[in-house]
Amino acid sequence: MLGSTMDGVYRTIVRMPRLVVAIAAAITIVLAIGALRLRVDSSVETLLPKGDPGKRFYDEIVSRFGNDEIDIIGVVADDVLAPETLEKIRVLTKRAAEIPGIAGVISLTNVRDPVADVLNPPLLIPEIPKTQAEREALRARIKDNPLFSGNLIAPDSRGAAVNVFLEETEEASARRIDGALEQLIAEVSAGGPERMLLTGISHIKVNALALMRRDLATLTPASLALVVAVLFFSFRTRRGVVLPLLCVVVGVVWTMGIMGWVGEPISLGTLLLPSLLIVIGSSYATHVVARYYLELETPTVPGQPVYGAIQQAGLPVFVSGITTVTGFSALMLNPIQAVRSLGLYAVIGITLLFLLAMTLVPAMIQLLPERRYRRESGVGSGESGQLGAVLAKLAQFDIAWRWPIFAVAAVAVVVSLIALPRIQADTNFLSYFPPESPVRKEHEIINDRVAGALPFYVVVGDRKPGSMITMDALRRLRDLQRFIDQIPGVTRSVSVADYLDLFDKGLRASGDVVIDDQGRPIAPDQLKSFWDDPSRLDEVLLFVKQNPAAFRSVITPDFGEVNVVVRTRFERSTEIAGAVDQIRHWAVEHMPPDVPVVSTGNIILLNGTTDDVVWGQVKSVTVALVVIFLVMSILFLSAKVGFIAMLPNVVPVVLFFGVLGWSNIMLNIGTSIIAAIALGIAVDNTIHYMVRFNRELQVTYDEKQSLATALRTVGRPIVYTSVALTLGFLVMRLSDFVPVRDFGVLTAATMMGALATNVILLPALLAETRIVTLWDLIFVKLGKDPHKTIPLFHGLRRAQARIAVLLGTLRSLSAGKVAVRQGDVGNEMYVIINGRADVVVTGPDGRRHVVRHLERGDVFGEMGLVRQQQRTADIVATEDLELLAVDQRFMQRLQRRYPRIAAAVFLNLTRILSDRLENTTEQFAAAG
């Protein structure tokens, strides 16, 4: 049923090519409109799990304390308190505040000093100091103020920060603001000795977006160009280049169009999608076109090369599509949204590319057939060409040296497995930029010379009104800050406790007379801090209670929850994770159980995906392995053959992990998807080779010759498509995104490893393995109910009878031909599958006598199988015969691969031999 349905589809494509092309063109127009609606999204949300509770908590905290996404203009100089430098900081501050979309700007030149006057704080720098003495006095005021030192100015006064707070972080607005800030910096810094730099989460995201757009504009055309070059080198015909290229372009347009119509943006994950579809889709179309050229040389369906091409290419392309889809489908188990989107739309795109390769490509060939084809023109040249000869010799080498090949592969796998514990994951967004990137360099300079450029929040409190302004709560908050400040990589933390400290210092420095509880005046120099004299707490808190909105970033209006703003120099996920763990452990030991202490922020959210990257990798690879193994086992009707088919593809994936471990390349969002994708793609070569080997074996019944012929023929498109895939992935090396670059290089290396294992390890594994495919099982013709009409197969199901036949050797004999000759020595038994024959004995007088008629299900030559003795009669075909040859090798193969089937066949064979012996005994008895 399935075979006739697919055959009908193939013939419809060949018969109505114009209709196929017209339908494809109409769909392309509709989906191209959708592709124009695509947008690019560089937001952090795409790198987080969907419905992440950490993101929901972060959004709640932002609504209470404000956004932690601030831009920092770093000013680096020998002394930022020099008059000229301070003037430039003043100009930067004033003009930046005038940019639409900026909520506020804080720097040394506009911040107020509550220590100078608590009730009416003046500017820290009302006038720019002109003398050295004035600068030193200013330096002294700044030194011990936590709001200034380590926040707005470096402790050594060689760097200053202009903190820019954005009203909104919507993409278009952030891009406009970032451009305005870059222009402002260029104008203010011109001609001066100072270096002015820009960093911050918003700035990093804007630059990430720009790089993503650049990658889309460069990687996709570069991938197309490489595919064109490889196709030209492979086929050296216009059709060989244009048709696969047309297939991938239409497939990419369709996929991008679907994304556009459903509103799915291009994210850091789907950024890879167009190039992936181009390099993968070109291999499907290449195999179809290559098969067409082989049909022109050695037709399987005379006079119908296009039909023969899709009939022969259908199975391997279909199954390779399934395995590739499986690899990408496994990515949908990953909780990270960007990875899941890549998996989903890659599955859609690969499915579309398969359909186009099997419909549009043959339809175009039918409309534009090759009229003057030369055998030596490329991939299609199966019997000639230097590459084919090299591959044939390689197959012979693989067979002769199979055990050393196994040993080398085993050693490589063991060495790679040893490196697994060394693999490290890093999901810090800044690490996605290469070290030489201006974005990363400027960020590192500001980190080192000015202040920590990546902040996060530590939120403390049970949200009970007033609970965080008690003396006990404030002391615990101060202790927490002291602990946080000593964590390596933390430059400064700020909380409401710091503001209270400043108000306290301002009150004690005001010179006003203070009355104690007994009404006695206290001299200002004898006034204790509120930490030492808790009775003064209400006096200090008065300034916060009178204007709670001014302190929104550090405490809620009901004083039930406080926020510690922590500025850091962290660049690695391990550093962030370590700091968060230390804070959590400290809180468990020192804070009351009912007072939560939770760290949050953009850098923590991204770092939280590290575990998702690792476990997403484990899940996707495991699922891909299991599903592809099942597909291969079903295709080849044997778990053993399925395992053999997996080995050449598992080995390069294991080697990939070994490279990650030994080279210290980080496991990030790009490298985490390589294994599942590579596994799905690499199996493509295995399928093409094993299917071709099986078909050759059905003709020659010689494993060694079939292995060489298969590698010489199908090995050519395997090599070319692998090279195309490798070069296509190497194109991604042009990207400025580290995950994309790592993905391209490592996937290319894995593809080359898969090519090596498929042309070296796979033939060695198949040297003594008979393959039966599901396709053979579906299409083999054994007549009606072979398990009932052929005694050798009694007790088996129909499918089991077909498997047994396919493991043996099927031979055809035309009417009048002799199957075995009297007197010849044989070691095979034969089962008649279809047709009739006579048993002819030549007597001593030379006369020939027909002693028996044989038909479907009958067995002859059984004594040759058992004792390898001379044949006692001729078997002459009276009709066209189809015979199953059964020898010791068939019996052993059947027993190894399918012991249950073998047990039934052996039992039936014993019955047949017993019946034959009984008949012979009865004949002797009757003759006596």
Side-chain angles (χ1 to χ4, degrees):
M1 179 67 73
L2 176 61
S4 59
T5 300
M6 297 187 70
D7 186 71
V9 172
Y10 295 157
R11 293 190 180 278
T12 300
I13 294 169
V14 174
R15 191 171 59 252
M16 295 186 290
R18 286 184 173 81
L19 177 62
V20 173
V21 173
I23 292 173
I27 295 173
T28 302
I29 292 172
V30 173
L31 292 179
I33 298 172
L36 297 176
R37 297 162 52 95
L38 271 175
R39 61 184 180 88
V40 182
D41 183 6
S42 65
S43 65
V44 173
E45 284 77 2
T46 63
L47 303 178
L48 302 176
K50 191 171 184 178
D52 181 23
K55 178 62 168 61
R56 288 198 298 269
F57 177 75
Y58 169 74
D59 290 339
E60 292 174 6
I61 296 304
V62 166
S63 68
R64 293 202 287 273
F65 296 108
N67 205 318
D68 68 336
E69 290 191 23
I70 63 172
D71 277 345
I72 302 172
I73 301 175
V75 180
V76 178
D78 292 336
D79 183 4
V80 294
L81 296 182
E84 299 82 2
T85 304
L86 279 177
E87 177 60 26
K88 290 184 177 181
I89 292 174
R90 187 190 65 78
V91 172
L92 277 175
T93 305
K94 180 176 181 297
R95 291 181 57 183
E98 296 171 353
I99 297 174
I102 290 181
V105 180
I106 296 178
S107 74
L108 290 171
T109 61
N110 72 341
V111 71
R112 295 188 177 273
D113 182 10
V115 176
D117 187 340
V118 178
L119 297 176
N120 187 23
L123 291 173
L124 173 67
I125 307 177
E127 293 184 4
I128 294 177
K130 297 181 174 56
T131 67
Q132 183 66 31
E134 290 175 341
R135 287 204 299 273
E136 294 306 321
L138 175 61
R139 206 184 316 273
R141 292 208 313 276
I142 291 173
K143 182 178 179 181
D144 297 324
N145 191 317
L147 300 183
F148 308 149
S149 181
N151 189 14
L152 298 178
I153 185 171
D156 62 3
S157 301
R158 301 184 66 184
V162 178
N163 295 333
V164 180
F165 299 86
L166 307 183
E167 284 181 354
E168 52 183 305
T169 56
E170 192 271 332
E171 180 185 305
S173 176
R175 193 165 63 246
R176 174 184 54 78
I177 293 171
D178 193 78
L181 289 175
E182 290 275 19
Q183 183 178 352
L184 174 61
I185 290 171
E187 293 175 1
V188 175
S189 63
E194 304 88 359
R195 292 187 65 185
M196 295 187 181
L197 314 164
L198 181 62
T199 192
I201 291 292
S202 177
H203 178 68
I204 292 171
K205 287 166 58 177
V206 167
N207 278 273
L209 182 64
L211 290 182
M212 290 169 68
R213 293 181 185 277
R214 175 183 174 276
D215 280 358
L216 282 175
T218 57
L219 297 185
T220 305
S223 298
L224 282 172
L226 273 175
V227 167
V228 169
V230 173
L231 289 173
F232 178 77
F233 180 78
S234 305
F235 294 104
R236 296 186 178 89
T237 66
R238 282 177 294 178
R239 290 167 184 79
V241 174
V242 172
L243 296 182
L245 187 63
L246 174 66
C247 177
V248 297
V249 169
V250 172
V252 170
V253 170
W254 284 16
T255 308
M256 297 295 103
I258 291 172
M259 291 178 64
W261 280 118
V262 301
E264 179 73 27
I266 295 288
S267 67
L268 188 58
T270 50
L271 177 66
L272 303 168
L273 189 59
S275 294
L276 278 175
L277 294 180
I278 288 169
V279 296
I280 295 171
S282 65
S283 68
Y284 296 162
T286 297
H287 279 292
V288 173
V289 175
R291 186 66 229 185
Y292 167 69
Y293 284 124
L294 280 171
E295 286 293 316
L296 294 178
E297 295 181 17
T298 54
T300 57
V301 184
Q304 300 183 59
V306 178
Y307 171 74
I310 52 178
Q311 186 187 56
Q312 293 295 312
L315 171 65
V317 172
F318 173 70
V319 178
S320 65
I322 288 178
T323 55
T324 306
V325 162
T326 298
F328 280 100
S329 296
L331 299 181
M332 287 190 278
L333 298 174
N334 196 303
I336 298 176
Q337 294 181 64
V339 177
R340 293 176 65 177
S341 295
L342 173 62
L344 172 61
Y345 288 98
V347 166
I348 293 172
I350 291 165
T351 303
L352 295 175
L353 285 164
F354 164 75
L355 294 174
L356 289 166
M358 296 303 297
T359 56
L360 180 61
V361 171
M364 292 298 295
I365 296 175
Q366 187 71 9
L367 292 174
L368 303 169
E370 192 72 59
R371 303 193 183 280
R372 290 179 299 191
Y373 172 65
R374 296 177 302 165
R375 289 182 56 181
E376 66 274 12
S377 59
V379 167
S381 182
E383 301 300 328
S384 61
Q386 187 174 3
L387 178 58
V390 170
L391 291 172
K393 291 180 180 179
L394 180 60
Q396 296 170 358
F397 172 85
D398 297 338
I399 297 168
W401 295 88
R402 55 197 302 257
W403 290 108
I405 290 172
F406 295 158
V408 171
V411 170
V413 167
V414 170
V415 171
S416 298
L417 291 175
I418 293 172
L420 291 183
R422 297 170 52 91
I423 296 175
Q424 299 181 44
D426 191 1
T427 54
N428 188 355
F429 198 57
L430 193 67
S431 68
Y432 294 168
F433 293 85
E436 67 275 10
S437 166
V439 173
R440 190 161 176 176
K441 283 185 175 181
E442 292 189 7
H443 177 88
E444 290 171 351
I445 291 171
I446 292 175
N447 249 348
D448 295 337
R449 301 285 299 275
V450 183
L454 292 178
F456 69 88
Y457 292 162
V458 178
V459 182
V460 184
D462 55 10
R463 303 196 65 183
K464 295 178 181 177
S467 62
M468 293 310 298
I469 55 174
T470 66
M471 203 66 223
D472 286 343
L474 290 171
R475 283 198 171 103
R476 285 193 293 267
L477 180 63
R478 182 181 61 172
D479 292 342
L480 172 61
Q481 275 191 261
R482 288 173 176 172
F483 174 78
I484 291 174
D485 287 340
Q486 58 83 36
I487 296 175
V490 172
T491 61
R492 174 68 72 181
S493 67
V494 176
S495 78
V496 68
D498 295 304
Y499 284 95
L500 296 179
D501 261 340
L502 293 177
F503 296 147
D504 184 40
K505 289 179 182 178
L507 286 172
R508 286 185 285 139
S510 65
D512 294 338
V513 176
V514 179
I515 305 300
D516 65 11
D517 294 339
Q518 285 75 36
R520 294 179 301 217
I522 303 174
D525 58 345
Q526 295 181 353
L527 193 63
K528 295 181 179 180
S529 165
F530 76 93
W531 298 109
D532 300 321
D533 182 4
S535 65
R536 294 192 56 244
L537 177 59
D538 288 339
E539 176 188 357
V540 177
L541 282 172
L542 181 63
F543 301 101
V544 177
K545 292 179 177 179
Q546 285 180 338
N547 188 14
F551 303 94
R552 174 176 176 260
S553 64
V554 291
I555 192 166
T556 53
D558 64 358
F559 309 120
E561 194 173 37
V562 298
N563 179 34
V564 182
V565 182
V566 183
R567 300 191 67 157
T568 75
R569 292 193 173 106
F570 297 144
E571 293 185 2
R572 298 278 296 273
S573 291
T574 51
E575 297 172 330
I576 300 168
V580 172
D581 284 341
Q582 290 183 62
I583 293 170
R584 181 169 57 248
H585 291 150
W586 186 94
V588 169
E589 294 177 3
H590 298 89
M591 299 294 285
D594 59 342
V595 178
V597 177
V598 184
S599 303
T600 189
N602 272 298
I603 62 172
I604 291 177
L605 289 175
L606 286 172
N607 175 72
T609 63
T610 301
D611 288 342
D612 294 319
V613 166
V614 173
W615 288 109
Q617 168 92 35
V618 173
K619 286 192 294 186
S620 61
V621 173
T622 301
V623 170
L625 276 172
V626 171
V627 175
I628 293 175
F629 169 73
L630 291 175
V631 170
M632 301 296 273
S633 298
I634 292 170
L635 172 64
F636 296 111
L637 303 175
S638 167
K640 176 187 175 183
V641 179
F643 177 74
I644 290 174
M646 290 297 293
L647 278 179
N649 305 289
V650 172
V651 169
V653 170
V654 174
L655 296 181
F656 154 72
F657 284 115
V659 170
L660 276 186
W662 290 117
S663 66
N664 294 319
I665 297 175
M666 291 293 170
L667 187 66
N668 54 40
I669 193 172
T671 53
S672 70
I673 63 178
I674 291 175
I677 292 176
L679 192 60
I681 297 174
V683 173
D684 173 57
N685 291 337
T686 304
I687 293 168
H688 283 283
Y689 180 75
M690 292 181 70
V691 170
R692 183 58 187 258
F693 165 61
N694 176 58
R695 288 172 177 168
E696 291 293 331
L697 194 58
Q698 290 174 3
V699 176
T700 65
Y701 303 106
D702 185 322
E703 274 88 353
K704 293 182 179 179
Q705 180 183 341
S706 298
L707 285 168
T709 303
L711 198 57
R712 184 178 68 244
T713 53
V714 79
R716 295 171 65 85
I718 283 176
V719 170
Y720 287 128
T721 54
S722 295
V723 171
L725 284 167
T726 300
L727 294 177
F729 286 119
L730 282 177
V731 164
M732 298 178 189
R733 186 67 180 80
L734 300 174
S735 173
D736 286 324
F737 263 123
V738 170
V740 175
R741 285 165 58 170
D742 289 348
F743 173 84
V745 173
L746 291 173
T747 307
T750 307
M751 289 293 100
M752 290 309 295
L755 172 62
T757 54
N758 273 288
V759 299
I760 297 175
L761 181 59
L762 182 58
L765 289 167
L766 294 176
E768 294 184 3
T769 304
R770 182 65 186 270
I771 296 175
V772 178
T773 71
L774 180 62
W775 215 246
D776 300 321
L777 187 66
I778 292 173
F779 287 102
V780 67
K781 297 177 181 179
L782 298 182
K784 184 179 180 181
D785 298 330
H787 56 306
K788 296 179 180 179
T789 57
I790 300 176
L792 186 65
F793 302 141
H794 281 178
L796 299 177
R797 296 190 298 273
R798 181 185 287 106
Q800 291 176 318
R802 292 185 173 197
I803 290 173
V805 169
L806 291 169
L807 275 178
T809 302
L810 282 171
R811 295 180 180 174
S812 298
L813 200 70
S814 57
K817 297 291 184 178
V818 178
V820 299
R821 293 189 179 277
Q822 184 176 342
D824 289 350
V825 177
N827 60 359
E828 295 176 316
M829 178 186 81
Y830 297 93
V831 182
I832 297 179
I833 302 300
N834 286 305
R836 297 174 184 271
D838 287 340
V839 180
V840 181
V841 176
T842 302
D845 57 358
R847 293 185 179 181
R848 294 169 59 80
H849 304 278
V850 177
V851 298
R852 188 180 169 201
H853 300 292
L854 302 176
E855 57 186 18
R856 173 178 170 82
D858 285 335
V859 172
F860 63 89
E862 64 276 6
M863 297 311 294
L865 172 66
V866 177
R867 301 179 59 184
Q868 297 185 10
Q869 66 179 25
Q870 289 183 337
R871 306 293 191 185
T872 58
D874 290 344
I875 306 297
V876 181
T878 58
E879 297 178 358
D880 289 345
L881 279 182
E882 287 186 11
L883 304 173
L884 170 64
V886 177
D887 57 11
Q888 291 293 336
R889 193 175 181 186
F890 164 79
M891 306 293 280
Q892 294 168 0
R893 183 187 296 134
L894 188 64
Q895 188 173 21
R896 286 197 309 268
R897 294 266 295 279
Y898 303 98
R900 291 187 179 181
I901 297 177
V905 170
F906 291 167
L907 178 61
N908 292 333
L909 180 59
T910 302
R911 289 171 177 167
I912 291 170
L913 293 176
S914 298
D915 292 344
R916 187 64 53 85
L917 179 61
E918 183 179 352
N919 291 337
T920 302
T921 302
E922 290 176 354
Q923 289 175 2
F924 274 121

